[in-house]
Amino acid sequence: MKALILVGGYGTRLRPLTLSYPKPLVEFCNKPMILHQIEALVEVGVKHVILAVSYQKDMFDILIEKQLKEVEDKLNIKISLSIENEPMGTAGPIALARDLLLQDTTDDDTFFVLNSDIICDFPFKKMIEFHKTHGKEGTIVVTKVTEPAKYGVVVFDSMGKIESFIEKPKVYVSNKINAGMYIFKMSIIDKIPLRPTSIEKDTFPLIVQEENLYALELKGYWMDVGQPEDFLVGIDLYLNSLKNKNNLAVPNFNNDIKIIGNVLIDSTAKIGDHCQIGPNVTIGSNVTIKNGVCLKNCAILSDTTIECHTWIDKCIIGWNCFVGKWVRMENTCVLGQDVSVKDELYINGAKVLPHKSLTSSITEPKIIM
């Protein structure tokens, strides 16, 4: 079985992190976003993953050669690139990847299509079972939201057959939205032109009209982690899910550290005495946390150093950063790669581009270029 993952976006909502890496390669909970999906796909028998790439495709070449080559070998799968010379929308990449999708097709004529920036307890096994049960051309996963007027909602009957899609309804018709995970028969490829095309606006209405599209409701959490605020909420949801599965282990540091709530700490991280870590904190590889640091609701990416007695809440600290002593950071600050923050500064809601040095406090949210 094959899967096509749509990784062609520019990642503008997650800048400044995506100025250094394509969004699917940004670590979410200590591994690239896309690896969460690939590992879950392998569990249900996917043997060939195709990445629909346009933006920063050279970076993906490096990933294929280094990181994903190791994943290929470890998981015994094939990973291919389908290169877009122009943005192809959300359906065009399916037509562009036609040859790869149809390559070596045997008795299985279905394939997955996924958005690359979603995190959940991936329901791939249930998708396969439900798709075989109704036998039609497509299945999409839907998830329940509390404010449906903000979204395009999906209307379907008691059997799951989709009747319509309604964009930002003014009156209540449904509280289910497209969750960005699909399974299709190969026949859908012939219905998508080789040009920029929207799967939501062009492809789905066509197969709804043919009564060939069904909805499977996702049970459990779901989050699009493509922007900083949602990235941090996604950490909370993901860590809680790991805890419920008894898969959340914290290394033993043999010193005076207070852990509060759910945290995920790489085994290579170094943490000093009298630190308070959590809740909802991820600490990546080769991170150094000095004495007396307080971290809450934040992600510290690899190779970063946080000096003594610094306090960080609701922030994402990028790779190779240096944060000085007695710094206070809050309100969804995002530091790009290789940013340094001098001692005793207050940083409020700043988005700091890579390779910058902060030498004075930032009291109101702004972008530091």
Side-chain angles (χ1 to χ4, degrees):
M1 194 172 185
K2 297 183 177 69
L4 177 69
I5 304 180
L6 305 176
V7 296
Y10 287 90
T12 53
R13 296 179 301 158
L14 202 55
R15 288 177 179 169
L17 299 176
T18 49
L19 296 174
S20 298
Y21 292 91
K23 181 171 60 177
L25 307 190
V26 172
E27 291 100 324
F28 174 83
C29 292
N30 293 356
K31 60 184 172 185
M33 287 185 196
I34 203 170
L35 287 191
H36 291 273
Q37 298 182 338
I38 291 174
E39 290 172 354
L41 288 166
V42 169
E43 289 180 2
V44 297
V46 169
K47 295 294 185 182
H48 187 181
V49 175
I50 302 159
L51 308 181
V53 177
S54 60
Y55 176 60
Q56 290 184 319
K57 53 182 175 287
D58 292 342
M59 191 70 73
F60 273 98
D61 290 339
I62 295 171
L63 183 72
I64 289 292
E65 293 173 4
K66 296 183 178 179
Q67 297 180 44
L68 287 192
K69 184 63 173 69
E70 296 175 5
V71 174
E72 283 184 311
D73 295 339
K74 179 181 178 181
L75 301 180
N76 191 29
I77 61 169
K78 180 180 180 181
I79 300 174
S80 303
L81 299 184
S82 177
I83 306 297
E84 304 174 18
N85 293 320
E86 64 171 326
M88 293 291 285
T90 50
I94 298 174
L96 188 64
R98 177 189 183 95
D99 291 344
L100 289 170
L101 289 168
L102 296 176
Q103 186 182 81
D104 302 324
T105 301
T106 54
D107 58 337
D108 190 350
D109 72 338
T110 59
F111 65 100
F112 288 102
V113 176
L114 312 174
N115 293 341
S116 65
D117 51 7
I118 54 174
I119 193 75
C120 63
D121 285 327
F122 295 107
F124 297 142
K125 183 178 179 181
K126 291 181 180 179
M127 290 173 69
I128 293 171
E129 293 169 349
F130 180 67
H131 190 73
K132 287 180 178 178
T133 298
H134 65 69
K136 299 297 183 178
E137 193 161 41
T139 295
I140 79 170
V141 177
V142 298
T143 187
K144 183 163 62 175
V145 294
T146 56
E147 298 181 83
K150 292 183 177 180
Y151 303 91
V153 299
V154 185
V155 180
F156 52 93
D157 66 17
S158 60
M159 300 301 293
K161 184 175 71 175
I162 295 177
E163 299 171 347
S164 62
F165 295 85
I166 301 175
E167 185 65 25
K168 297 182 180 179
K170 289 185 169 60
V171 296
Y172 179 87
V173 290
S174 171
N175 61 356
K176 310 299 191 305
I177 66 167
N178 177 0
M181 295 174 280
Y182 323 122
I183 187 169
F184 297 121
K185 290 184 177 180
M186 292 291 180
S187 57
I188 199 172
I189 300 173
D190 293 328
K191 298 180 178 179
I192 301 173
L194 186 57
R195 63 171 186 265
T197 308
S198 167
I199 199 168
E200 298 87 357
K201 296 179 180 179
D202 301 320
T203 309
F204 285 165
L206 175 63
I207 54 179
V208 165
Q209 189 175 16
E210 299 170 346
E211 300 186 347
N212 264 327
L213 189 62
Y214 277 65
L216 172 68
E217 185 173 353
L218 176 68
K219 303 301 181 183
Y221 79 99
W222 175 92
M223 182 58 64
D224 174 344
V225 294
Q227 59 184 355
E229 295 83 356
D230 294 337
F231 189 101
L232 294 171
V233 172
I235 289 175
D236 179 7
L237 297 172
Y238 178 79
L239 294 184
N240 192 58
S241 176
L242 285 186
K243 179 185 177 182
N244 291 338
K245 298 173 186 175
N246 296 316
N247 288 334
L248 190 61
V250 177
N252 183 7
F253 291 97
N254 297 316
N255 57 349
D256 182 15
I257 300 172
K258 185 177 182 181
I259 301 293
I260 299 175
N262 298 329
V263 302
L264 182 64
I265 304 175
D266 189 89
S267 61
T268 62
K270 298 178 177 63
I271 301 182
D273 291 328
H274 310 299
C275 290
Q276 179 176 302
I277 311 296
N280 307 319
V281 170
T282 64
I283 298 175
S285 61
N286 302 311
V287 167
T288 299
I289 308 294
K290 298 292 184 69
N291 295 344
V293 168
C294 178
L295 303 175
K296 302 190 294 183
N297 307 301
C298 62
I300 313 297
L301 304 189
S302 58
D303 302 301
T304 280
T305 295
I306 311 293
E307 285 288 347
C308 300
H309 306 295
T310 280
W311 187 95
I312 299 176
D313 183 19
K314 295 183 180 176
C315 299
I316 305 172
I317 311 300
W319 312 267
N320 301 101
C321 288
F322 177 88
V323 180
K325 301 174 184 177
W326 296 101
V327 171
R328 182 182 179 100
M329 300 179 63
E330 60 186 352
N331 193 20
T332 322
C333 293
V334 184
L335 304 189
Q337 185 179 23
D338 184 34
V339 169
S340 65
V341 180
K342 299 297 183 182
D343 297 347
E344 302 180 5
L345 299 185
Y346 171 58
I347 311 297
N348 174 26
K351 307 297 189 290
V352 186
L353 272 62
H355 315 299
K356 301 297 178 184
S357 178
L358 300 185
T359 58
S360 59
S361 293
I362 299 169
T363 58
E364 297 295 334
K366 63 179 178 179
I367 297 172
I368 307 300
M369 303 180 64

